[in-house]
Amino acid sequence: MDKRTYQRFNTGPGRVFDVINAAVLIGIGLLALLPFLYVLAGSFATELEITTRPFFLWPNEITTASYESILSSSVFVRAFVTTVLVTTVGTLVQLSLTALMAYPLSKIDLPGRRTMMSLIVFCMVFSAGMIPTFLIVKELGLLNSYWALILPMAINPFSLIIIKNFFQELPKELEESARIDGANEMRILRSIVAPLSKPVLATFALFYAVGLWNDYMSPLLYLGDQEKWTLQMILRQVTASATLTADDMNSDVPPPAQGIKFAVVIVATIPVLLAYPFLQKHFAKGMLIGSVKG
């Protein structure tokens, strides 16, 4: 910002606007944070306090009974481990397939490129729907398989377009130098393009990971075996049940009726919150640079 622009905004009305703007944004942020703080406080509260106090941000008596119950539950632990593995493998597969398709499409002289991009944009606007997708998954023999949670949405059209645009903006001289040295296209993608594209790849790795972690509909449709349920299915079962017993959770500790619901929500939310700070520095840069050109 130059001196003239700074002087124009550093006036009385400008400072008042900054204060009001900051107050409004802080208020909106607090409103978004309050439900999470209530759930967090409820996960450490006793059953009596949860049922008698309509809203609180700090429990009068702190107890870890809810967390002891779910952590001793083989059902919950298995679902948690399953979700971590599906999210990790799925993110790697989806990001790899997206990058492998985006790289050739970033070449202006690729035959049929315009037709392919038109089909990709069409897929971004129109989807086949639940029933055709289910029939395809069934015919491929993926029912009751974890691959049914990964492959149907392996390449997101929006992610593909942004990554392609990012690849197009990389210096062509680097690729030409690598070809002169004898590198093939896969070597160029792996050793030159991918390292230079960390911001956009990290951004969509976060998108893919969050989508897989929070996916509820796919396990509901494709996983008939309850032993293969992911964390979101367990979360649905816990929150939808009026009462829970130790047999329901296969736990050694009797689960509190209400506190366990809050605890499961917190445990299902924390991994995403922990992953975001590591990718935040790449987030804005990847989105802005990758969306400049078409």
Side-chain angles (χ1 to χ4, degrees):
M1 181 181 297
D2 56 25
K3 184 176 180 180
R4 183 175 300 177
T5 304
Y6 174 78
Q7 290 176 349
R8 185 169 68 251
F9 284 98
N10 192 31
T11 59
R15 288 191 292 269
V16 171
F17 172 78
D18 290 340
V19 172
I20 296 176
N21 191 32
V24 171
L25 293 177
I26 292 174
I28 294 175
L30 291 176
L31 288 176
L33 189 61
L34 281 178
F36 177 78
L37 294 178
Y38 170 66
V39 173
L40 180 62
S43 67
F44 288 101
T46 61
E47 287 296 294
L48 179 61
E49 185 172 6
I50 294 174
T51 55
T52 55
R53 295 179 64 185
F55 182 81
F56 57 91
L57 297 179
W58 187 266
N60 293 327
E61 181 182 350
I62 297 179
T63 176
T64 58
S66 300
Y67 292 98
E68 292 174 5
S69 179
I70 62 175
L71 293 179
S72 65
S73 167
S74 60
V75 174
F76 180 84
V77 173
R78 181 175 61 244
F80 185 87
V81 173
T82 297
T83 305
V84 171
L85 293 177
V86 169
T87 301
T88 303
V89 175
T91 301
L92 293 176
V93 171
Q94 293 179 345
L95 192 63
S96 299
L97 293 178
T98 303
L100 287 172
M101 187 172 183
Y103 178 68
L105 290 175
S106 65
K107 310 302 178 185
I108 305 299
D109 56 349
L110 178 70
R113 177 178 179 271
R114 187 178 298 274
T115 302
M116 288 295 299
M117 290 305 304
S118 299
L119 293 175
I120 292 170
V121 173
F122 180 85
C123 293
M124 186 170 61
V125 179
F126 303 98
S127 63
M130 181 186 302
I131 295 178
T133 303
F134 178 85
L135 294 176
I136 292 174
V137 171
K138 181 181 179 181
E139 291 300 321
L140 292 176
L142 298 178
L143 286 181
N144 211 30
S145 168
Y146 293 128
W147 289 111
L149 312 181
I150 299 172
L151 296 181
M153 288 299 295
I155 300 178
N156 182 276
F158 173 76
S159 305
L160 175 65
I161 292 174
I162 300 298
I163 294 176
K164 174 198 70 76
N165 292 343
F166 193 98
F167 288 169
Q168 284 183 198
E169 298 174 8
L170 296 177
K172 304 303 179 186
E173 293 78 8
L174 295 176
E175 298 182 19
E176 294 174 357
S177 300
R179 291 191 184 92
I180 293 175
D181 293 336
N184 56 25
E185 296 298 333
M186 286 299 299
R187 179 62 183 273
I188 294 173
L189 175 61
R190 183 177 68 253
S191 301
I192 297 178
V193 176
L196 293 176
S197 305
K198 285 182 179 180
V200 72
L201 294 179
T203 298
F204 287 101
L206 178 63
F207 284 175
Y208 280 133
V210 171
L212 288 166
W213 183 271
N214 293 330
D215 188 12
Y216 159 73
M217 187 57 66
S218 296
L220 180 64
L221 291 175
Y222 306 132
L223 298 183
D225 188 355
Q226 293 188 6
E227 293 186 356
K228 293 185 178 182
W229 276 5
T230 60
L231 188 59
Q232 299 304 320
M233 294 296 294
I234 301 299
L235 178 61
R236 169 190 173 273
Q237 186 183 34
V238 170
T239 55
S241 300
T243 58
L244 291 170
T245 64
D247 293 336
D248 293 331
M249 296 295 293
N250 194 12
S251 172
D252 298 331
V253 181
Q258 299 297 325
I260 192 173
K261 298 180 181 180
F262 294 142
V264 172
V265 171
I266 292 298
V267 174
T269 305
I270 289 299
V272 176
L273 295 179
L274 294 178
Y276 181 76
F278 296 99
L279 300 174
Q280 182 183 12
K281 62 181 179 180
H282 300 296
F283 185 83
K285 183 178 179 182
M287 287 298 294
L288 290 176
I289 295 179
S291 59
V292 172
K293 295 182 180 179

